[in-house]
């Protein structure tokens, strides 16, 4: 909902429990007024009436108060917009108009031929912001920086910044620290979202998991990006973010060309970090993730079971075992195509390997379907191995700088997806693949960063950074439209490409290559700060853990840890005993029973994973599920009871497993004993209101 003051210069956007307001001064300065609890238009107008502070030569009255600080004039903060032409640098805009369309508010500005539009849209309590630029003038405009939005927080003391940092196999780890004066900059210079930071920040002063004000901002972009959080003088904080990783240039706007930034979404919550994440989850399920109301199936993935050593018969044997334990989707990972018998060859040649799949993928897909499962495959379309037919035919299709080394990482190079011939090749190959065999699922991987990202002959700033992501999105959109029954997974060596942009085109993401069930608890704790369980893939793999750390854990612990998201199995089932398979079947059955609650419910992080007992709870209608994990019990101390959330204190709840009846008020205020003991113990508690 958008309310507009009579003079057409103050705007108020409101969601169910929050509001966002801005104001345009007579000098066309666009000022931020309010972001927080719901207010009335009259409140926004009252705020608009407060004069800007006096102007001193060493401070700017605009700094920390503007909605979208441009470069130029009396401003010393990091500009959201920085442009230059052959003649000059910076922006001096005039307001031209505002308009609303549905729930979107557009504010239009112009600086000579450059039209700048700021877009706002409220989705529940999430504010979506983005900017579009149109070069209607006769000169080229160099876009050095065009952030999607700048967020302004209210004056408070003692801001803290939370972020999700990591690396390969250790993504999404939550860290919180006081914000000090100056700037904290996070981002990716790698061409993809990156394992190092999820494009999300949260700011609070004294919030806890379930109480207090939290501001959150998340960027929907799957290429290089940057978010800068600035603690300015006078207790003012601004967060600015967008595509591109530094100021050397984003894009060249030729006359007639335009640029639309990704969406930078933001929310305010007074329900602590838990409340903020539930708002993020509801937003993504309602507005971002495709078909989010459809539960994701239990999948089997062959990677850790067979790595590159695969064949039709061996995959069929795994499929039979997977079907036996109740798996619903069987995914053949890397190694089925071209000369791909190791990571040294084959990427780019998207036809089944004739020795391994002599009659193509269809016979295996048919067998998998015959077993009652869906069939999926792994691809990594944006890459090529130098040892491939594709590279031998088109060595100029990769990103490279003339006369420089073509850096290989994992023996592969990055295709220049900004090229139309590359886009067409990939479309043709993937469309043929999806048309040639009954494929229901595509795991789309991306296993190296950009390094020598050049495009000989193209002027600077080169568009390949931005256009790579646009081409990826367009390819996914086109494939989804042509093959509406096919679901997609975003993977990048685990969690290297997880953001709101890719999530608007994929059905789930591969959270991490780290499948150790204990490490996963911390990764999942961070991941769910922003993204819902409905997209968080988690596999049960072999014990001891083969991929990472050799840690041994029970099947029970591995399943309970993986049941916190979209359950998958990734172990070598041909090596599992009959007892293990029977136990796995029981866990998969239980998961299917609780799946709607886990994937669609409200998530409460009851206790963080910090050495002892951790627990997450999901609430949906009359049902609630608790997944509790005990890392280690020390000194024989009693394991604490877990206090539940989101229940009706006046109701009673029956445990599905034991038939025990618990009173809501008792569960909320005194908690539930989990019965866990020792090391790496875990349990599932499923309660239904009676
Ligand atoms: C990285 C992924 O994260 C793994 O799951 C697997 O698909 C490999 N790539 C295959 O090369």
């Amino acid at each position: 909902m958008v309310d507009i003051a009579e003079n057409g210069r103050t705007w108020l956007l409101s969601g169910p429990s929050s509001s966002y307001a801005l104001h345009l001064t007579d000098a066309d300065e666009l000022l931020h007024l309010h972001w927080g609890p719901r207010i009335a238009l009259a409140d926004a107008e009252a705020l608009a009436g407060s004069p800007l502070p006096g102007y001193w030569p060493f401070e700017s009255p605009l700094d920390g108060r503007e909605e979208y600080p441009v470069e130029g004039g009396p401003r010393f903060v990091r500009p959201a917009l920085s442009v230059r032409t052959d003649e000059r640098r910076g922006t001096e805009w005039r307001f031209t108009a505002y308009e609303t369309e549905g729930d979107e508010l557009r504010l239009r500005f112009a600086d000579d031929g450059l039209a700048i539009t700021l877009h706002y849209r409220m989705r529940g309590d999430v504010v979506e912001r983005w900017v579009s630029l149109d070069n209607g003038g006769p000169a080229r405009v160099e876009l050095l920086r065009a952030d999607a939005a700048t967020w302004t927080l209210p004056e408070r003391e003692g801001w803290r910044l939370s972020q999700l940092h990591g690396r390969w196999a250790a993504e999404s780890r939550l860290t919180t620290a006081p914000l000090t004066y100056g700037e904290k900059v996070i981002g990716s210079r790698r061409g993809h979202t990156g394992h190092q930071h999820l494009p999300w920040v949260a700011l609070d002063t004294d919030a806890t998991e379930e109480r207090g004000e939290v501001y959150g901002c998340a960027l929907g972009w799957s290429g290089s990006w940057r978010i800068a959080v600035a603690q300015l003088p006078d207790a003012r904080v601004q967060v600015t973010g967008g595509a591109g990783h530094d100021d050397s240039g984003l894009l060249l706007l030729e006359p007639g060309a335009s640029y639309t930034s990704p969406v930078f979404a933001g929310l305010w919550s007074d329900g602590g970090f838990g409340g903020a994440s539930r708002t993020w989850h509801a937003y993504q399920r309602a507005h971002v993730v495709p078909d989010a109301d459809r539960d994701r199936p239990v999948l089997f993935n062959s990677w850790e079971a067979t790595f590159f050593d695969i064949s039709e018969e061996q995959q069929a044997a795994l499929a039979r075992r997977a079907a036996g334990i109740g798996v619903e989707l069987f995914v053949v990972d890397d190694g089925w195509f071209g000369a791909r018998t190791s990571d040294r060859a084959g990427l780019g040649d998207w036809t089944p390997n004739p020795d391994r799949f002599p009659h193509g993928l269809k016979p295996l897909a048919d067998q998998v379907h015959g077993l009652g499962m869906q069939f999926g495959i792994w691809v990594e379309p944006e890459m090529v191995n130098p040892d491939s037919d594709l590279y031998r035919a088109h060595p100029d299709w990769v990103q490279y700088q003339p006369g420089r080394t073509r850096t290989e990482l994992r023996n592969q190079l990055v295709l220049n997806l900004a090229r139309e011939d590359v886009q067409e090749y990939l479309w043709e190959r993937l469309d043929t693949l999806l048309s040639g065999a009954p494929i229901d699922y595509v795991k789309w991987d991306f296993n190296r960063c950009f390094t020598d990202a050049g495009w000989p002959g193209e002027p600077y700033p080169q568009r390949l950074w931005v256009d790579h992501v646009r081409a990826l999105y367009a390819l996914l959109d086109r494939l989804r439209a042509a093959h509406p029954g096919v679901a997609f997974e975003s993977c990048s060596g685990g969690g290297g490409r997880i953001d709101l942009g890719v999530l608007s085109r994929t059905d789930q993401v591969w959270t991490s290559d780290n499948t150790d069930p204990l490490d996963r608890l911390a990764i999942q704790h961070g991941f769910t700060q922003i993204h819902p369980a409905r997209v968080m893939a988690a596999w049960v793999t072999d014990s001891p853990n083969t991929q990472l750390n050799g840690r041994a854990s029970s099947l029970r612990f591995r399943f309970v840890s993986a049941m916190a998201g979209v359950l998958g199995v990734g172990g070598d089932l041909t090596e599992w005993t009959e007892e293990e398979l029977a136990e796995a079947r029981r866990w998969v059955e239980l998961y299917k029973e609780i799946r709607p609650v886990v994937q669609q419910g409200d998530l409460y992080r009851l206790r963080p994973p910090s050495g002892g007992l951790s627990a997450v709870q999901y609430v949906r209608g009359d049902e609630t599920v608790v997944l509790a994990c005990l890392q280690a019990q020390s000194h024989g101390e009693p394991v604490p009871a877990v206090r539940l959330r989101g229940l009706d204190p006046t109701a009673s709840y029956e445990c599905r497993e034991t038939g025990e009846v618990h009173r809501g008020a008792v569960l909320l205020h005194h908690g539930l004993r989990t019965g866990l003991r020792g090391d790496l113990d875990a349990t599932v508690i499923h309660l239904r209101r009676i």
Side-chain angles (χ1 to χ4, degrees), residues 127-150:
V127 189
E128 290 184 339
R129 291 183 57 187
W130 68 103
V131 66
S132 55
L133 300 154
D134 298 279
N135 183 8
R140 284 174 158 191
V141 174
E142 204 176 313
L143 274 190
L144 300 170
R145 186 81 202 159
D147 276 352
T150 300

PDB file of all heavy atoms in Angstrom, residues 127-150:
ATOM      1  N   VAL A 127      10.526  -4.544   1.955  1.00  0.00           N
ATOM      2  CA  VAL A 127      10.558  -3.463   0.963  1.00  0.00           C
ATOM      3  C   VAL A 127      11.526  -3.887  -0.138  1.00  0.00           C
ATOM      4  O   VAL A 127      12.689  -4.189   0.147  1.00  0.00           O
ATOM      5  CB  VAL A 127      11.081  -2.139   1.567  1.00  0.00           C
ATOM      6  CG1 VAL A 127      10.907  -0.978   0.583  1.00  0.00           C
ATOM      7  CG2 VAL A 127      10.418  -1.832   2.889  1.00  0.00           C
ATOM      8  N   GLU A 128      11.036  -3.926  -1.357  1.00  0.00           N
ATOM      9  CA  GLU A 128      11.934  -4.211  -2.484  1.00  0.00           C
ATOM     10  C   GLU A 128      12.299  -2.889  -3.132  1.00  0.00           C
ATOM     11  O   GLU A 128      11.429  -2.064  -3.422  1.00  0.00           O
ATOM     12  CB  GLU A 128      11.238  -5.084  -3.539  1.00  0.00           C
ATOM     13  CG  GLU A 128      11.008  -6.494  -3.087  1.00  0.00           C
ATOM     14  CD  GLU A 128      10.403  -7.381  -4.178  1.00  0.00           C
ATOM     15  OE1 GLU A 128       9.809  -6.836  -5.135  1.00  0.00           O
ATOM     16  OE2 GLU A 128      10.522  -8.595  -4.069  1.00  0.00           O
ATOM     17  N   ARG A 129      13.584  -2.707  -3.356  1.00  0.00           N
ATOM     18  CA  ARG A 129      14.041  -1.479  -4.019  1.00  0.00           C
ATOM     19  C   ARG A 129      14.999  -1.825  -5.156  1.00  0.00           C
ATOM     20  O   ARG A 129      15.785  -2.749  -5.056  1.00  0.00           O
ATOM     21  CB  ARG A 129      14.772  -0.577  -3.008  1.00  0.00           C
ATOM     22  CG  ARG A 129      13.854   0.010  -1.957  1.00  0.00           C
ATOM     23  CD  ARG A 129      14.619   0.941  -1.049  1.00  0.00           C
ATOM     24  NE  ARG A 129      15.270   2.008  -1.788  1.00  0.00           N
ATOM     25  CZ  ARG A 129      16.119   2.890  -1.248  1.00  0.00           C
ATOM     26  NH1 ARG A 129      16.414   2.813   0.026  1.00  0.00           N
ATOM     27  NH2 ARG A 129      16.672   3.832  -1.980  1.00  0.00           N
ATOM     28  N   TRP A 130      14.893  -1.075  -6.217  1.00  0.00           N
ATOM     29  CA  TRP A 130      15.865  -1.194  -7.301  1.00  0.00           C
ATOM     30  C   TRP A 130      15.879   0.106  -8.082  1.00  0.00           C
ATOM     31  O   TRP A 130      15.054   1.004  -7.840  1.00  0.00           O
ATOM     32  CB  TRP A 130      15.569  -2.390  -8.201  1.00  0.00           C
ATOM     33  CG  TRP A 130      14.330  -2.334  -9.039  1.00  0.00           C
ATOM     34  CD1 TRP A 130      14.241  -2.072 -10.367  1.00  0.00           C
ATOM     35  CD2 TRP A 130      12.969  -2.609  -8.617  1.00  0.00           C
ATOM     36  NE1 TRP A 130      12.937  -2.159 -10.800  1.00  0.00           N
ATOM     37  CE2 TRP A 130      12.136  -2.485  -9.745  1.00  0.00           C
ATOM     38  CE3 TRP A 130      12.370  -2.935  -7.399  1.00  0.00           C
ATOM     39  CZ2 TRP A 130      10.748  -2.672  -9.695  1.00  0.00           C
ATOM     40  CZ3 TRP A 130      10.983  -3.115  -7.339  1.00  0.00           C
ATOM     41  CH2 TRP A 130      10.204  -2.989  -8.478  1.00  0.00           C
ATOM     42  N   VAL A 131      16.841   0.247  -8.990  1.00  0.00           N
ATOM     43  CA  VAL A 131      16.958   1.480  -9.750  1.00  0.00           C
ATOM     44  C   VAL A 131      17.071   1.127 -11.230  1.00  0.00           C
ATOM     45  O   VAL A 131      17.595   0.066 -11.587  1.00  0.00           O
ATOM     46  CB  VAL A 131      18.189   2.288  -9.263  1.00  0.00           C
ATOM     47  CG1 VAL A 131      19.480   1.553  -9.576  1.00  0.00           C
ATOM     48  CG2 VAL A 131      18.250   3.657  -9.862  1.00  0.00           C
ATOM     49  N   SER A 132      16.525   1.995 -12.082  1.00  0.00           N
ATOM     50  CA  SER A 132      16.767   1.800 -13.516  1.00  0.00           C
ATOM     51  C   SER A 132      17.273   3.106 -14.108  1.00  0.00           C
ATOM     52  O   SER A 132      16.913   4.198 -13.659  1.00  0.00           O
ATOM     53  CB  SER A 132      15.515   1.293 -14.228  1.00  0.00           C
ATOM     54  OG  SER A 132      14.430   2.144 -13.999  1.00  0.00           O
ATOM     55  N   LEU A 133      18.141   2.965 -15.094  1.00  0.00           N
ATOM     56  CA  LEU A 133      18.794   4.118 -15.723  1.00  0.00           C
ATOM     57  C   LEU A 133      18.618   4.006 -17.228  1.00  0.00           C
ATOM     58  O   LEU A 133      18.817   2.921 -17.791  1.00  0.00           O
ATOM     59  CB  LEU A 133      20.292   4.111 -15.405  1.00  0.00           C
ATOM     60  CG  LEU A 133      20.605   4.171 -13.913  1.00  0.00           C
ATOM     61  CD1 LEU A 133      21.949   3.554 -13.617  1.00  0.00           C
ATOM     62  CD2 LEU A 133      20.574   5.613 -13.438  1.00  0.00           C
ATOM     63  N   ASP A 134      18.235   5.091 -17.850  1.00  0.00           N
ATOM     64  CA  ASP A 134      18.063   5.090 -19.311  1.00  0.00           C
ATOM     65  C   ASP A 134      18.864   6.232 -19.881  1.00  0.00           C
ATOM     66  O   ASP A 134      18.655   7.399 -19.503  1.00  0.00           O
ATOM     67  CB  ASP A 134      16.586   5.281 -19.670  1.00  0.00           C
ATOM     68  CG  ASP A 134      15.747   4.142 -19.140  1.00  0.00           C
ATOM     69  OD1 ASP A 134      15.731   3.104 -19.798  1.00  0.00           O
ATOM     70  OD2 ASP A 134      15.163   4.302 -18.041  1.00  0.00           O
ATOM     71  N   ASN A 135      19.742   5.894 -20.795  1.00  0.00           N
ATOM     72  CA  ASN A 135      20.542   6.951 -21.415  1.00  0.00           C
ATOM     73  C   ASN A 135      19.825   7.470 -22.664  1.00  0.00           C
ATOM     74  O   ASN A 135      19.928   6.898 -23.748  1.00  0.00           O
ATOM     75  CB  ASN A 135      21.932   6.408 -21.777  1.00  0.00           C
ATOM     76  CG  ASN A 135      22.818   7.498 -22.355  1.00  0.00           C
ATOM     77  OD1 ASN A 135      22.448   8.685 -22.354  1.00  0.00           O
ATOM     78  ND2 ASN A 135      23.976   7.123 -22.860  1.00  0.00           N
ATOM     79  N   GLY A 136      19.111   8.558 -22.491  1.00  0.00           N
ATOM     80  CA  GLY A 136      18.381   9.149 -23.620  1.00  0.00           C
ATOM     81  C   GLY A 136      19.171  10.253 -24.300  1.00  0.00           C
ATOM     82  O   GLY A 136      18.668  10.911 -25.219  1.00  0.00           O
ATOM     83  N   GLY A 137      20.411  10.471 -23.844  1.00  0.00           N
ATOM     84  CA  GLY A 137      21.215  11.557 -24.416  1.00  0.00           C
ATOM     85  C   GLY A 137      22.063  11.077 -25.579  1.00  0.00           C
ATOM     86  O   GLY A 137      22.093   9.883 -25.899  1.00  0.00           O
ATOM     87  N   PRO A 138      22.799  12.018 -26.188  1.00  0.00           N
ATOM     88  CA  PRO A 138      23.613  11.647 -27.352  1.00  0.00           C
ATOM     89  C   PRO A 138      24.975  11.057 -26.984  1.00  0.00           C
ATOM     90  O   PRO A 138      25.654  10.503 -27.849  1.00  0.00           O
ATOM     91  CB  PRO A 138      23.801  12.990 -28.074  1.00  0.00           C
ATOM     92  CG  PRO A 138      23.694  14.025 -26.989  1.00  0.00           C
ATOM     93  CD  PRO A 138      22.821  13.469 -25.920  1.00  0.00           C
ATOM     94  N   ALA A 139      25.360  11.173 -25.699  1.00  0.00           N
ATOM     95  CA  ALA A 139      26.725  10.739 -25.334  1.00  0.00           C
ATOM     96  C   ALA A 139      26.696   9.410 -24.580  1.00  0.00           C
ATOM     97  O   ALA A 139      25.710   9.073 -23.923  1.00  0.00           O
ATOM     98  CB  ALA A 139      27.366  11.805 -24.450  1.00  0.00           C
ATOM     99  N   ARG A 140      27.811   8.694 -24.698  1.00  0.00           N
ATOM    100  CA  ARG A 140      27.999   7.490 -23.882  1.00  0.00           C
ATOM    101  C   ARG A 140      28.085   7.870 -22.413  1.00  0.00           C
ATOM    102  O   ARG A 140      28.754   8.851 -22.085  1.00  0.00           O
ATOM    103  CB  ARG A 140      29.337   6.848 -24.212  1.00  0.00           C
ATOM    104  CG  ARG A 140      29.385   6.100 -25.475  1.00  0.00           C
ATOM    105  CD  ARG A 140      30.826   5.673 -25.673  1.00  0.00           C
ATOM    106  NE  ARG A 140      30.879   4.546 -26.571  1.00  0.00           N
ATOM    107  CZ  ARG A 140      31.959   3.820 -26.782  1.00  0.00           C
ATOM    108  NH1 ARG A 140      33.098   4.121 -26.178  1.00  0.00           N
ATOM    109  NH2 ARG A 140      31.933   2.815 -27.605  1.00  0.00           N
ATOM    110  N   VAL A 141      27.488   7.085 -21.555  1.00  0.00           N
ATOM    111  CA  VAL A 141      27.622   7.325 -20.116  1.00  0.00           C
ATOM    112  C   VAL A 141      28.301   6.106 -19.505  1.00  0.00           C
ATOM    113  O   VAL A 141      27.879   4.975 -19.729  1.00  0.00           O
ATOM    114  CB  VAL A 141      26.241   7.543 -19.462  1.00  0.00           C
ATOM    115  CG1 VAL A 141      26.379   7.644 -17.950  1.00  0.00           C
ATOM    116  CG2 VAL A 141      25.566   8.776 -20.029  1.00  0.00           C
ATOM    117  N   GLU A 142      29.364   6.359 -18.765  1.00  0.00           N
ATOM    118  CA  GLU A 142      30.048   5.265 -18.095  1.00  0.00           C
ATOM    119  C   GLU A 142      29.448   5.111 -16.700  1.00  0.00           C
ATOM    120  O   GLU A 142      29.506   6.045 -15.890  1.00  0.00           O
ATOM    121  CB  GLU A 142      31.527   5.624 -17.998  1.00  0.00           C
ATOM    122  CG  GLU A 142      32.407   4.431 -17.885  1.00  0.00           C
ATOM    123  CD  GLU A 142      33.873   4.829 -17.892  1.00  0.00           C
ATOM    124  OE1 GLU A 142      34.277   5.639 -18.770  1.00  0.00           O
ATOM    125  OE2 GLU A 142      34.588   4.364 -17.008  1.00  0.00           O
ATOM    126  N   LEU A 143      28.859   3.956 -16.471  1.00  0.00           N
ATOM    127  CA  LEU A 143      28.314   3.687 -15.132  1.00  0.00           C
ATOM    128  C   LEU A 143      29.430   3.103 -14.288  1.00  0.00           C
ATOM    129  O   LEU A 143      29.842   1.972 -14.496  1.00  0.00           O
ATOM    130  CB  LEU A 143      27.229   2.620 -15.221  1.00  0.00           C
ATOM    131  CG  LEU A 143      25.806   2.986 -15.536  1.00  0.00           C
ATOM    132  CD1 LEU A 143      24.912   1.768 -15.311  1.00  0.00           C
ATOM    133  CD2 LEU A 143      25.365   4.117 -14.641  1.00  0.00           C
ATOM    134  N   LEU A 144      29.925   3.908 -13.376  1.00  0.00           N
ATOM    135  CA  LEU A 144      30.973   3.401 -12.495  1.00  0.00           C
ATOM    136  C   LEU A 144      30.347   2.577 -11.380  1.00  0.00           C
ATOM    137  O   LEU A 144      30.879   1.569 -10.941  1.00  0.00           O
ATOM    138  CB  LEU A 144      31.774   4.562 -11.913  1.00  0.00           C
ATOM    139  CG  LEU A 144      32.470   5.434 -12.970  1.00  0.00           C
ATOM    140  CD1 LEU A 144      33.032   6.688 -12.347  1.00  0.00           C
ATOM    141  CD2 LEU A 144      33.565   4.646 -13.659  1.00  0.00           C
ATOM    142  N   ARG A 145      29.202   3.038 -10.939  1.00  0.00           N
ATOM    143  CA  ARG A 145      28.511   2.370  -9.834  1.00  0.00           C
ATOM    144  C   ARG A 145      27.034   2.731  -9.915  1.00  0.00           C
ATOM    145  O   ARG A 145      26.699   3.903 -10.133  1.00  0.00           O
ATOM    146  CB  ARG A 145      29.091   2.875  -8.508  1.00  0.00           C
ATOM    147  CG  ARG A 145      28.585   2.177  -7.295  1.00  0.00           C
ATOM    148  CD  ARG A 145      29.301   0.865  -7.087  1.00  0.00           C
ATOM    149  NE  ARG A 145      28.493  -0.014  -6.265  1.00  0.00           N
ATOM    150  CZ  ARG A 145      28.648  -1.336  -6.236  1.00  0.00           C
ATOM    151  NH1 ARG A 145      29.561  -1.940  -6.957  1.00  0.00           N
ATOM    152  NH2 ARG A 145      27.876  -2.076  -5.481  1.00  0.00           N
ATOM    153  N   ALA A 146      26.181   1.766  -9.763  1.00  0.00           N
ATOM    154  CA  ALA A 146      24.739   2.060  -9.711  1.00  0.00           C
ATOM    155  C   ALA A 146      24.119   1.083  -8.729  1.00  0.00           C
ATOM    156  O   ALA A 146      23.643   0.011  -9.112  1.00  0.00           O
ATOM    157  CB  ALA A 146      24.112   1.925 -11.092  1.00  0.00           C
ATOM    158  N   ASP A 147      24.179   1.427  -7.453  1.00  0.00           N
ATOM    159  CA  ASP A 147      23.638   0.532  -6.435  1.00  0.00           C
ATOM    160  C   ASP A 147      22.133   0.391  -6.596  1.00  0.00           C
ATOM    161  O   ASP A 147      21.454   1.284  -7.125  1.00  0.00           O
ATOM    162  CB  ASP A 147      23.967   1.059  -5.033  1.00  0.00           C
ATOM    163  CG  ASP A 147      25.365   0.637  -4.591  1.00  0.00           C
ATOM    164  OD1 ASP A 147      25.992  -0.178  -5.303  1.00  0.00           O
ATOM    165  OD2 ASP A 147      25.826   1.130  -3.547  1.00  0.00           O
ATOM    166  N   ALA A 148      21.629  -0.730  -6.115  1.00  0.00           N
ATOM    167  CA  ALA A 148      20.188  -0.965  -6.191  1.00  0.00           C
ATOM    168  C   ALA A 148      19.444  -0.073  -5.200  1.00  0.00           C
ATOM    169  O   ALA A 148      18.329   0.377  -5.470  1.00  0.00           O
ATOM    170  CB  ALA A 148      19.903  -2.432  -5.892  1.00  0.00           C
ATOM    171  N   ALA A 149      20.064   0.191  -4.069  1.00  0.00           N
ATOM    172  CA  ALA A 149      19.405   1.006  -3.038  1.00  0.00           C
ATOM    173  C   ALA A 149      20.402   1.380  -1.964  1.00  0.00           C
ATOM    174  O   ALA A 149      21.427   0.713  -1.785  1.00  0.00           O
ATOM    175  CB  ALA A 149      18.263   0.224  -2.386  1.00  0.00           C
ATOM    176  N   THR A 150      20.067   2.436  -1.253  1.00  0.00           N
ATOM    177  CA  THR A 150      20.766   2.774  -0.009  1.00  0.00           C
ATOM    178  C   THR A 150      19.717   2.775   1.096  1.00  0.00           C
ATOM    179  O   THR A 150      18.657   3.400   0.949  1.00  0.00           O
ATOM    180  CB  THR A 150      21.422   4.160  -0.102  1.00  0.00           C
ATOM    181  OG1 THR A 150      22.368   4.144  -1.170  1.00  0.00           O
ATOM    182  CG2 THR A 150      22.126   4.540   1.191  1.00  0.00           C
TER     183      THR A 150
END
